[in-house]
């Protein structure tokens, strides 16, 4: 019986072996943006909206620029454990890693989803504000396609063998060759896990245990499942403009919050321990130990709920103003009749 899966050795980050600057991860991002764009255009055609081509291209351009800047800045500040960015800020946007006198192309290694969301919102908000475009109407159209595109971003993480989960004994647990740290077998739980899975402990005493393929969990639930719910359940039944935006923020935050329990968190100060096993980075021992990602997801959920309340209030106010504007001409006609 298979107790775990070994990460396939034929999966490489490079599309063409030996050419390091052509990577699957970058291609996955291009596919993600392309899918979001095509679904946006589909909705425009479906609803027969009259929208200028230049506005579509520009909104997506500035949204993508904001996303990349926000994702990278968040990654090198909020998630930087060693303060490297503060020492040398230019490294944030260098697609190379230089160590021991040599440099290697890595692309933008390290992108934060939450920072990307903030950056994208800022980029789109600035452009729509300048062009006097209805940000809520457009936002609903864009967001309706984002989860499906996001699926491919997480597949890119899987291909890179990064953002893997905590140790697991489930049969689909996967041994990632580039796991951040092999674990010491002199820890009782490490030894017990290895024995249970039939993994031989090497002479070094350090063993690489199977992890949750959390990238695939996220691709499935934060991507495909969330997209299906938004696209088929909420998209055509939204009660007011901005509803899809708020629903996505809440949905993503809620799903990601629970997936964070099986995703390996960053080491050290980015684990918020309130339960047992306060140093249990590599395994889940208490649901009261929260990660930075869970904190950000909790804030997303609160922000999404607040957004829905605000957008509903704005919708009702616009309806009232429209009703009042309609009544005024009728009132004028009535006054003329009286005269």
């Amino acid at each position: 019986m298979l107790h775990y899966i070994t990460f396939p050795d034929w999966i490489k980050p490079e599309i063409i072996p030996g050419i390091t600057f052509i990577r699957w991860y970058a291609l996955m991002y291009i596919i993600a943006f392309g899918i979001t764009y095509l679904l946006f255009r589909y909705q425009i055609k479906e609803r027969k909206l009259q929208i200028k081509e230049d506005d579509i291209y520009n909104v997506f351009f500035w949204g993508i620029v904001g996303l990349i800047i926000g994702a990278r800045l968040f990654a090198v500040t909020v998630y930087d454990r060693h303060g490297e960015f503060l020492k040398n800020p230019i490294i944030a946007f260098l697609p190379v890693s230089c160590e021991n006198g040599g440099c290697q192309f890595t692309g933008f290694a390290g992108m934060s989803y939450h920072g990307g969301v903030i950056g994208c919102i800022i980029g789109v908000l600035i452009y729509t504000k300048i062009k006097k475009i209805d940000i809520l109407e457009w936002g609903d159209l864009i967001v309706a396609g984002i989860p499906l595109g996001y699926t491919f971003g997480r597949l890119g993480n899987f291909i890179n063998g990064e953002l893997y989960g905590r140790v697991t004994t489930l049969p689909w647990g996967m041994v990632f060759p580039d796991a951040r740290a092999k674990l010491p077998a002199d820890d009782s739980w490490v030894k017990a896990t290895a024995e249970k899975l039939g993994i031989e402990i090497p002479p070094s005493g350090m063993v690489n245990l199977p992890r949750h393929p959390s990238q695939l969990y996220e691709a499935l639930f934060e991507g495909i499942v969330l997209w299906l719910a938004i696209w088929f359940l909420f998209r055509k039944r939204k009660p007011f403009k901005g509803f899809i935006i708020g629903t996505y923020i809440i949905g993503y935050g809620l799903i990601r919050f629970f997936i964070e329990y099986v995703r390996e968190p960053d080491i050290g100060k980015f684990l918020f321990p309130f339960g047992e096993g306060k140093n249990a980075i590599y395994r889940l021992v208490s649901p009261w130990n929260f990660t930075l990602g869970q904190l950000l997801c909790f804030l997303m959920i609160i922000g999404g709920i607040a957004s829905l309340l605000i957008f509903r209030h704005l919708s009702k106010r616009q309806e009232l103003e429209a009703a009042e504007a309609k009544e005024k001409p009728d009132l004028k006609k009535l006054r003329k009749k009286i005269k």
Side-chain angles (χ1 to χ4, degrees):
M1 179 180 178
L2 183 65
H3 295 290
Y4 62 91
I5 302 170
T6 301
F7 187 81
D9 57 6
W10 53 267
I11 296 180
K12 305 293 182 183
E14 301 85 12
I15 296 177
I16 302 175
I19 303 179
T20 59
F21 59 87
I22 304 179
R23 293 174 171 251
W24 287 108
Y25 185 68
L27 179 60
M28 292 298 104
Y29 261 84
I30 293 172
I31 293 174
F33 294 140
I35 286 175
T36 305
Y37 171 78
L38 291 175
L39 290 176
F40 180 82
R41 294 299 299 258
Y42 173 84
Q43 293 175 91
I44 291 175
K45 185 177 180 180
E46 179 186 50
R47 297 174 57 180
K48 298 179 180 180
L49 300 176
Q50 300 299 317
I51 295 178
K52 296 179 181 178
E53 291 289 325
D54 285 348
D55 285 334
I56 297 175
Y57 296 141
N58 288 329
V59 162
F60 271 82
F61 174 78
W62 290 112
I64 292 171
V65 169
L67 183 150
I68 293 173
I69 294 174
R72 188 65 181 138
L73 285 178
F74 228 67
V76 298
T77 53
V78 176
Y79 286 94
D80 180 19
R81 301 193 306 273
H82 307 295
E84 295 297 326
F85 172 73
L86 295 177
K87 299 174 186 175
N88 187 14
I90 197 172
I91 65 172
F93 295 101
L94 285 179
V96 296
S97 176
C98 298
E99 294 180 358
N100 302 322
C103 294
Q104 180 181 4
F105 181 86
T106 58
F108 293 133
M111 301 280 277
S112 164
Y113 168 84
H114 296 93
V117 169
I118 294 172
C120 182
I121 290 174
I122 292 174
V124 171
L125 188 60
I126 291 174
Y127 181 81
T128 53
K129 187 70 174 178
I130 292 173
K131 292 294 184 176
K132 297 180 180 179
I133 293 172
D134 190 335
I135 178 62
L136 295 184
E137 186 69 34
W138 278 53
D140 280 341
L141 297 175
I142 294 172
V143 166
I146 284 178
L148 187 59
Y150 175 85
T151 301
F152 290 87
R154 285 307 182 211
L155 290 178
N157 292 136
F158 178 77
I159 292 172
N160 280 350
E162 61 189 4
L163 302 185
Y164 40 76
R166 285 171 156 145
V167 172
T168 180
T169 57
L170 292 171
W172 58 82
M174 184 169 288
V175 175
F176 291 90
D178 297 323
R180 175 164 55 198
K182 292 181 173 60
L183 304 171
D186 56 2
D187 281 0
S188 59
W189 75 270
V190 174
K191 184 177 181 180
T193 302
E195 291 176 350
K196 181 177 181 179
L197 295 173
I199 296 176
E200 185 178 346
I201 298 174
S204 65
M206 304 296 289
V207 60
N208 191 3
L209 296 175
R211 315 294 184 100
H212 285 280
S214 54
Q215 318 97 321
L216 301 183
Y217 298 170
E218 293 190 63
L220 175 60
F221 294 104
E222 299 164 10
I224 295 173
V225 172
L226 184 56
W227 176 74
L228 288 173
I230 289 176
W231 191 263
F232 293 103
L233 296 180
F234 302 121
R235 184 171 61 92
K236 292 186 178 181
R237 299 178 179 86
K238 64 175 186 177
F240 50 83
K241 288 187 293 186
F243 180 77
I244 302 301
I245 298 173
T247 300
Y248 170 73
I249 293 173
I250 295 171
Y252 178 90
L254 191 62
I255 295 171
R256 171 75 179 270
F257 182 90
F258 287 103
I259 290 179
E260 280 282 321
Y261 276 122
V262 297
R263 176 174 163 173
E264 184 176 303
D266 290 314
I267 298 172
K269 62 182 179 180
F270 297 112
L271 184 67
F272 298 85
F274 299 106
E276 298 177 358
K278 295 184 178 181
N279 295 317
I281 299 294
Y282 306 110
R283 57 183 181 137
L284 177 63
V285 296
S286 172
W288 300 108
N289 288 343
F290 300 114
T291 67
L292 176 62
Q294 285 177 305
L295 173 62
L296 295 174
C297 287
F298 177 75
L299 294 177
M300 280 188 74
I301 295 169
I302 299 301
I305 293 172
S307 296
L308 288 180
L309 294 175
I310 293 171
F311 297 155
R312 186 178 66 174
H313 172 74
L314 291 175
S315 176
K316 288 184 177 180
R317 191 173 71 178
Q318 289 175 354
E319 291 176 1
L320 182 61
E321 290 174 351
E324 290 177 348
K326 185 178 180 180
E327 288 177 358
K328 285 181 180 179
D330 295 336
L331 186 60
K332 288 180 180 179
K333 290 180 183 179
L334 180 61
R335 286 175 177 173
K336 287 182 179 179
K337 288 182 179 180
I338 294 175
K339 288 181 179 180

